[in-house]
Amino acid sequence: MQSVVDLIELANRRLGTELTAQDAERELAEVPCWDSVHLLRLVGLLEAELGRPVPVAEVLQARTLDEIWTAASTADSGPAAPDPAAASTAVHA
């Protein structure tokens, strides 16, 4: 994913919305096919697409799709998660 247009295409493909590029800067409350359930589902889709967590609090505060994309795409992914395979092979003394 490289842009808010990719986010819109993802939402249309996976959430069944009919968003357009013009909806990127429109207030979410003004987007006819958008609701809070779409927003929560989009968080999961973004995490899967980006391969890392997205800042849910920032996404929930976003007022436009462009702001959602900015929050998701510029977020620091934080420290790497521990490798479960490495933990299972660790020797306990």
Side-chain angles (χ1 to χ4, degrees), residues 7 26 32 34 49 52 55 63 66 72 85-86 91-92:
L7 179 147
R26 184 175 292 156
W34 194 257
E49 286 288 319
R52 60 174 169 74
R63 298 180 65 168
D66 192 51
V91 177
H92 299 291

Side-chain angles (χ1 to χ4, degrees), residues 22-57:
Q22 291 75 24
D23 292 321
E25 294 189 23
R26 184 175 292 156
E27 294 282 327
L28 292 173
E30 297 175 7
V31 178
C33 64
W34 194 257
D35 63 31
S36 59
V37 174
H38 287 119
L39 180 59
L40 295 175
R41 290 180 60 203
L42 184 61
V43 169
L45 291 172
L46 284 169
E47 289 183 342
E49 286 288 319
L50 297 171
R52 60 174 169 74
V54 298
V56 177

Side-chain angles (χ1 to χ4, degrees), residues 60-82:
L60 293 177
Q61 292 177 4
R63 298 180 65 168
T64 66
L65 293 166
D66 192 51
E67 288 179 10
I68 291 171
W69 171 247
T70 298
S73 65
T74 60
D76 178 15
S77 60

Side-chain angles (χ1 to χ4, degrees), residues 1 3-11 42 46 65 68-69:
M1 293 191 73
S3 70
V4 69
V5 173
D6 294 334
L7 179 147
I8 288 169
E9 290 172 358
L10 175 69
L42 184 61
L46 284 169
L65 293 166
I68 291 171
W69 171 247

